[in-house]
Amino acid sequence: NADILLTAGSWVLLESREGRFDKARNLLDLSGDVPLWQDGGNLLVTAEAEVMLQEGSASGDKPVAAQGPFGTLVSEGFRLTERGQVVVFTGRSRAILEGGQ
């Protein structure tokens, strides 16, 4: 498990079946099923993710499925920056947005 603390006490939690920690670069390579939870109720699942612990960022270029209060989304990759406050879905993406007036 890897926790990334966000501003204002919020958090992101990542898990994986396998991982490698590069201590010199403070980099965590995760593989296998990699779910990423945000405390706002969003879940992102992918096969691989690279986590820069000091920066509080993560990225991956494998297919991604995401769901949360916003709806559902699939894409070819993702970039999580600003300690989880910004998530960019890369490559071909498709979203189904829920509710919202």
Side-chain angles (χ1 to χ4, degrees), residues 58-69:
S59 63
D61 293 320
K62 298 290 184 184
V64 174
Q67 63 183 14

Side-chain angles (χ1 to χ4, degrees), residues 5-101:
L5 294 177
L6 310 179
T7 57
S10 56
W11 52 266
V12 169
L13 171 68
L14 299 104
E15 291 184 343
S16 69
R17 281 192 271 155
E18 298 179 18
R20 185 178 64 83
F21 178 56
D22 182 338
K23 187 175 182 179
R25 296 173 56 208
N26 212 16
L27 175 108
L28 188 60
D29 278 319
L30 304 176
S31 59
D33 293 325
V34 182
L36 180 154
W37 291 274
Q38 283 183 302
D39 65 347
N42 298 315
L43 169 64
L44 181 151
V45 180
T46 189
E48 295 179 2
E50 179 181 273
V51 182
M52 299 297 292
L53 296 172
Q54 190 166 357
E55 295 175 11
S57 65
S59 63
D61 293 320
K62 298 290 184 184
V64 174
Q67 63 183 14
F70 68 90
T72 61
L73 182 142
V74 292
S75 73
E76 294 178 339
F78 78 100
R79 302 287 179 269
L80 180 146
T81 61
E82 297 182 33
R83 299 198 167 271
Q85 293 184 23
V86 176
V87 181
V88 175
F89 294 96
T90 60
R92 295 174 64 113
S93 302
R94 192 174 115 235
I96 301 173
L97 303 178
E98 297 290 334
Q101 268 80 16

